[in-house]
Amino acid sequence: MKRRLPPRSERALTDLEACVLGVVWRDGPCTAYAVRRELAASSTPRWSDSAGSIYPVLDRLMALGLVAATARSWGERGKKVLAATAAGAARLRAWVPQVAAADVCGPTYDPIRTRFCFLAVLPPARRRRFLADAARSTRETLDRLRGNASRRIRPDDFEALSIHASVCELEGRLRWLGRMRRGLTARRT
Amino acid sequence: MKRRLPPRSERALTDLEACVLGVVWRDGPCTAYAVRRELAASSTPRWSDSAGSIYPVLDRLMALGLVAATARSWGERGKKVLAATAAGAARLRAWVPQVAAADVCGPTYDPIRTRFCFLAVLPPARRRRFLADAARSTRETLDRLRGNASRRIRPDDFEALSIHASVCELEGRLRWLGRMRRGLTARRT
DNA sequence: TCCATCATGTAAACAGTTACATGATTGC
DNA sequence: GCAATCATGTAACTGTTTACATGATGGA
C-alpha cells in the first residue's frame, strides 16, 4: 500500500493558504490576530474567523519559509509580528494569475441555485414564495454592498474594488430570479 | 471538558447531504453509483465524484431514515436500489426554502475575486493580463453553458433551468472584469 | 472595577478527498 | 477477448470547525 502524496513544499497552495499569505503580505507586519480579523471582515465569509484555522495555516506558511515571524514581548506568551518573505511574495505572484487552470473561472457554488434545483419538491405556491424570498434577501445584501461600494476607493485598493464583483454577481442573480418568477407566473394562468 | 455537539438527527443537513437526498428523491429509485454520476455531471463541480464521499453520506441519510435501500442481487456484493422516504421528502421540503437564513443569499466564493484582491502583487502589465485571461476563460465557459441552455427545457426541469443562473452569474463577472480593465487602462495614460 | 478588545493557542470531532481494491455486465 | 461502464466499498489523510482555555491592555 504505497501512499505517495507529494510533499507539502511541492503542492500548490490552497485558497485559504494563499489568502492568508496575501493578507500578511498586504497588511504586514501584523499579528495573527489581525489576519484573523481581516478574514472575518471579508465580504465573502467563506472561512470562519476561528483561531483553529488561522494558526495552523500560519504555521504551515512559516514552515515553508513564505512568512517570517519576529517575537515581541507582550504579556506572558508574547506576540509574533508576521511579514511575508521574498519567497512568500514570489509564491503569491505565481498564485494570483492562475485563472485559466481547472475550474477557477467556472460558475461558483451558489446555495440558492442548489436549492432551486430541487424546487419541484415544493407545491407551486411555495415555489413562487421561494423565488420572492430569495430575491428580497439578495436585494438586501446588494443594497448593503452598494453602500460600501459608493465610497471613494483608491484605484489600487483591489480588495475594495472587488466589492463591485459581488455587486455584479448579485445583480446577475436578481435578473435570473426575476426571469424564473415570470416563468412560473406565466404558466400559472 | 464538556463537548455537547447536538446529535446528528437534530443538526441541519449539510449542503452535500441535502443535495444527495435531493438527487435520490428526484431520480430514485436508483443506485448510489447513479447518484455519484449525477453529482459529477453537475455544472458546478463543487464536490468530487469520488465514492468516498457519496457512500458515507448515503449511510448517514439511511441512518436518519431519510433514504431507504432495497437490495437486489447483482454480482457478488449485490446492489442497492435507493429511494427517498416520506421523511426524506419532508426534510428536503424544509431544507429548500431556507434562503433568508445566514449567508445563503450573500455573494458566493469566487476564486477570481479572491485572486483579484491581491492583484497589487503583480506589476501593472501583468495585472492587465490577469484581467484579460480571466475574461477569456470566463467567456469560454459562458459559451459552453449558453449552448446547453439553448436546448428546449421542460418548465419543471429546475436543474436544467438552473443553468440560466450560472449564465447570469458569469455575465455579471464579465461586466465587472470589463469595468476593471477600463479602469486600469484609463489610469495607464 | 469591569468589559471589550487584543492576543495566542490546543483538542476533539468531522467532513470530504485521494487512492486503493474488487468484481459484474455489456458491447465491440 | 477486452475495454468501458456499472457497481460497491474501505483506509488513510488532511483541512476546517467548534469549543475550550488563558491572559494582557485600555477605556468607561
Side-chain angles (χ1 to χ4, degrees):
Chain A
M1 213 178 279
K2 359 144 202 186
R3 314 225 152 266
R4 48 197 143 71
L5 288 169
R8 186 119 41 181
S9 53
E10 293 171 23
R11 258 183 294 172
L13 294 177
T14 65
D15 277 16
L16 175 57
E17 285 167 343
C19 214
V20 168
L21 174 59
V23 171
V24 172
W25 168 80
R26 194 188 55 199
D27 298 357
C30 64
T31 63
Y33 183 81
V35 175
R36 190 183 153 189
R37 234 194 313 94
E38 192 62 25
L39 285 187
S42 147
S43 61
T44 324
R46 147 127 214 222
W47 297 291
S48 87
D49 60 335
S50 76
S53 51
I54 299 303
Y55 288 93
V57 166
L58 283 169
D59 287 343
R60 265 176 278 162
L61 292 175
M62 284 189 266
L64 288 168
L66 306 177
V67 165
T70 43
R72 293 276 162 81
S73 71
W74 195 89
E76 204 168 52
R77 268 182 282 203
K79 66 164 130 178
K80 284 178 192 160
V81 179
L82 305 166
T85 63
R91 193 71 179 264
L92 194 61
R93 254 190 313 272
W95 176 79
V96 168
Q98 280 168 7
V99 288
D103 43 314
V104 185
C105 272
T108 66
Y109 174 74
D110 184 349
I112 296 286
R113 201 195 321 140
T114 302
R115 281 164 171 78
F116 176 86
C117 285
F118 304 109
L119 206 55
V121 83
L122 297 182
R126 292 187 61 199
R127 296 177 194 172
R128 285 190 290 276
R129 185 135 65 92
F130 169 90
L131 293 175
D133 287 349
R136 188 176 35 73
S137 185
T138 300
R139 212 172 290 118
E140 278 167 22
T141 313
L142 190 52
D143 288 342
R144 198 158 34 74
L145 285 178
R146 282 204 184 111
N148 290 352
S150 64
R151 293 169 312 151
R152 192 90 195 106
I153 295 174
R154 269 179 298 117
D156 62 332
D157 186 350
F158 293 106
E159 172 153 53
L161 283 171
S162 79
I163 292 182
H164 291 296
S166 299
V167 169
C168 287
E169 192 207 330
L170 294 190
E171 286 172 346
R173 188 197 282 160
L174 275 180
R175 258 196 309 283
W176 168 67
L177 286 171
R179 236 175 267 175
M180 292 299 114
R181 243 160 128 178
R182 283 191 293 278
L184 284 194
T185 315
R187 266 195 307 294
R188 185 161 49 134
T189 53
Chain B
M1 212 179 280
K2 1 150 199 180
R3 314 223 152 266
R4 47 195 145 71
L5 289 168
R8 187 117 40 176
S9 53
E10 292 172 24
R11 256 183 296 172
L13 294 177
T14 65
D15 277 15
L16 174 58
E17 286 167 342
C19 214
V20 168
L21 174 59
V23 171
V24 171
W25 169 79
R26 193 188 57 201
D27 298 356
C30 64
T31 63
Y33 183 81
V35 175
R36 190 183 153 190
R37 233 194 313 96
E38 192 63 24
L39 284 187
S42 147
S43 61
T44 323
R46 149 128 213 221
W47 298 291
S48 87
D49 60 336
S50 76
S53 52
I54 299 303
Y55 287 93
V57 166
L58 282 169
D59 287 344
R60 266 177 277 163
L61 292 175
M62 285 189 264
L64 288 169
L66 306 176
V67 165
T70 43
R72 292 277 164 81
S73 71
W74 194 89
E76 204 168 53
R77 268 183 281 204
K79 67 163 130 176
K80 283 176 193 163
V81 178
L82 306 166
T85 63
R91 192 70 178 264
L92 194 61
R93 255 191 311 272
W95 177 79
V96 168
Q98 280 168 6
V99 288
D103 42 314
V104 185
C105 271
T108 66
Y109 174 75
D110 184 348
I112 295 286
R113 202 197 318 140
T114 303
R115 281 164 170 78
F116 177 85
C117 285
F118 304 109
L119 207 56
V121 85
L122 298 181
R126 291 187 62 199
R127 296 177 195 173
R128 285 189 290 276
R129 185 135 64 93
F130 169 89
L131 293 175
D133 286 349
R136 188 175 34 72
S137 187
T138 300
R139 211 171 290 117
E140 278 167 20
T141 313
L142 191 51
D143 288 341
R144 197 158 34 75
L145 284 178
R146 281 204 184 110
N148 291 352
S150 64
R151 292 170 312 150
R152 193 90 195 106
I153 296 174
R154 270 178 297 117
D156 62 332
D157 186 351
F158 293 106
E159 172 153 54
L161 282 171
S162 80
I163 292 182
H164 292 296
S166 299
V167 168
C168 288
E169 193 207 330
L170 294 190
E171 286 173 346
R173 188 196 284 160
L174 275 180
R175 259 196 309 281
W176 169 66
L177 286 171
R179 237 176 266 176
M180 293 299 113
R181 241 160 130 180
R182 283 189 295 277
L184 283 194
T185 314
R187 267 194 308 295
R188 184 160 51 135
T189 52

